Amino acid sequence: MMEWTILGAGALGCVIAGQLHQKGEQVGFMLSERHRGHFHPKLDLITLSGSHQLINSQPRFPEHSRKVECLLVFTKAYNVLDALKELRHLPKSTPVILFNNGMGLTEQVKALLPDNPLLAGVCNHGAMKEQDWLVRHTGKGETWLGPLNEAGKAWAHLVKPLAAALGHTEWGDDIALHQRRKLAVNAVMNPLTACNNISNGQLLEPRFSEVLEQLTDEVYQVIARLDGNDAETKEAYRRRLHQVIEQTATNSSSMQQDLACGRKTEIDYISGYMLTHADGLPVPVSQQLYDEIKKREDSMQRPAPGAKRQA
């Protein structure tokens, strides 16, 4: 039986690992050096019904990469390349599936791993990390899998075990279309909730109605132009966005959590991607949110006034 190796033990990676394990699949976590020598407890997964499931998983480290049979990448977008570079012994035949947020990494990963089958996964399940090795599955959604290079096209059969574990899972030859559909939601929810330090559901409060409408229009224009003939209508997009906000009302976006905890965000791969592809379209709200989050990130990296720098 093939082992699924999860790179990135965040909320969604842990939930996917738990779901696969519950269906009898073998799962391992590829861990960074900071985890070496630590005790690795069982993953405690809180299911949609509220029950606790203890999940056994095998801890892996870069020297084990030669035995990786299928790699699922859930690291933060800005860590993907560095994390993959650590896996120097990864077999060229091993499929690598990118599940990271945002867009803009495909060409760089292709250059780094020119021979590996490369795929992208778009997973709309809700997940929340409550503490180390304790994650909550907060909602079910669609999952899409598709190729990023020619070699990736031979791995469509992975849809079957993923569907058994996750529910609705389909193959998409144009996986970038599904990536953009998810980006269109994240490019509204993530920066707005992060800048205002609010939960997803609070976006529907009257005080945010004007900026939500302006940002929705900006994002739709950019994504619709990228989608071309496959673009959804503005009304369909607006309904989909509001449905996600309502379904995840009590959740906090990953960007809100990162900014609130003083961590780097994935803004460059979400709003940054939008701005790069605006090509003359007016996107003032997206630009303002991007600038504000970059400003806050920069301030977190600077030492406080009077603080001594480490030699």
Side-chain angles (χ1 to χ4, degrees), residues 112-287:
L112 180 65
L113 302 173
D115 301 311
N116 287 78
L118 300 178
L119 303 95
V122 178
C123 184
N124 294 309
H125 283 247
M128 185 178 299
K129 195 169 188 178
E130 302 200 344
Q131 59 189 55
D132 286 345
W133 306 107
L134 174 62
V135 295
R136 182 182 295 274
H137 191 189
T138 59
K140 295 190 71 172
E142 295 181 348
T143 301
W144 291 85
L145 194 67
L148 293 176
N149 62 5
E150 191 64 29
K153 295 179 180 179
W155 291 84
H157 60 277
L158 294 179
V159 166
K160 185 175 181 180
L162 286 173
L166 306 178
H168 181 282
T169 304
E170 292 188 38
W171 181 260
D173 288 314
D174 185 5
I175 193 62
L177 175 67
H178 300 286
Q179 289 179 303
R180 289 193 296 269
R181 292 281 166 87
K182 184 173 182 177
L183 179 73
V185 171
N186 287 346
V188 172
M189 292 176 57
N190 285 26
L192 269 182
T193 56
C195 278
N196 293 282
N197 196 27
I198 57 174
S199 64
N200 294 349
Q202 289 177 273
L203 289 175
L204 299 181
E205 294 177 1
R207 60 185 171 133
F208 295 113
S209 60
E210 184 175 348
V211 69
L212 182 63
E213 185 65 22
Q214 290 176 343
L215 185 57
T216 299
D217 286 343
E218 288 182 12
V219 171
Y220 175 76
Q221 288 182 51
V222 176
I223 295 298
R225 188 165 68 182
L226 290 172
D227 284 348
N229 293 333
D230 293 319
E232 60 186 336
T233 66
K234 183 183 288 189
E235 292 71 25
Y237 164 57
R238 186 180 286 112
R239 285 196 302 270
R240 187 166 61 85
L241 172 63
H242 280 246
Q243 183 180 36
V244 174
I245 293 174
E246 290 169 353
Q247 289 176 342
T248 62
T250 60
N251 289 11
S252 296
S253 73
S254 59
M255 192 175 293
Q256 184 275 329
Q257 294 178 61
D258 287 338
L259 202 62
C261 294
R263 297 189 296 259
K264 186 177 180 179
T265 75
E266 295 174 294
I267 190 69
D268 286 321
Y269 301 90
I270 298 176
S271 298
Y273 186 89
M274 290 286 306
L275 296 173
T276 300
H277 292 82
D279 290 333
L281 289 172
V283 286
V285 178
S286 297
Q287 185 70 63

Side-chain angles (χ1 to χ4, degrees), residues 13 34 57-58 67 86 90 109 118 124-125 165 186 190 207 242 255 290 295 306-307:
R34 65 187 180 89
S57 63
Q58 295 296 324
K67 296 182 179 180
E86 291 293 316
L90 186 71
V109 175
L118 300 178
N124 294 309
H125 283 247
N186 287 346
N190 285 26
R207 60 185 171 133
H242 280 246
M255 192 175 293
Y290 176 86
K295 178 182 175 182

Side-chain angles (χ1 to χ4, degrees), residues 1 17-26 55 161-167:
M1 179 181 292
Q19 296 291 98
L20 286 166
H21 186 274
Q22 287 178 329
K23 291 298 180 179
E25 300 286 339
Q26 294 182 13
I55 307 298
L162 286 173
L166 306 178

Side-chain angles (χ1 to χ4, degrees), residues 12-87:
L12 186 57
C14 287
V15 164
I16 300 304
Q19 296 291 98
L20 286 166
H21 186 274
Q22 287 178 329
K23 291 298 180 179
E25 300 286 339
Q26 294 182 13
V27 180
F29 280 102
M30 181 63 67
L31 302 173
S32 61
E33 284 299 317
R34 65 187 180 89
H35 290 102
R36 193 183 293 273
H38 292 182
F39 171 66
H40 300 291
K42 293 181 180 179
L43 170 65
D44 188 356
L45 174 66
I46 305 174
T47 67
L48 289 173
S49 65
S51 63
H52 286 252
Q53 298 282 342
L54 290 177
I55 307 298
N56 283 313
S57 63
Q58 295 296 324
R60 308 294 187 200
F61 292 94
E63 65 267 23
H64 301 131
S65 60
R66 68 178 76 251
K67 296 182 179 180
V68 172
E69 298 173 280
C70 183
L71 187 69
L72 280 60
V73 183
F74 289 93
T75 64
K76 294 290 187 180
Y78 51 79
N79 283 332
V80 168
L81 293 175
D82 285 342
L84 290 175
K85 288 176 184 176
E86 291 293 316
L87 309 184

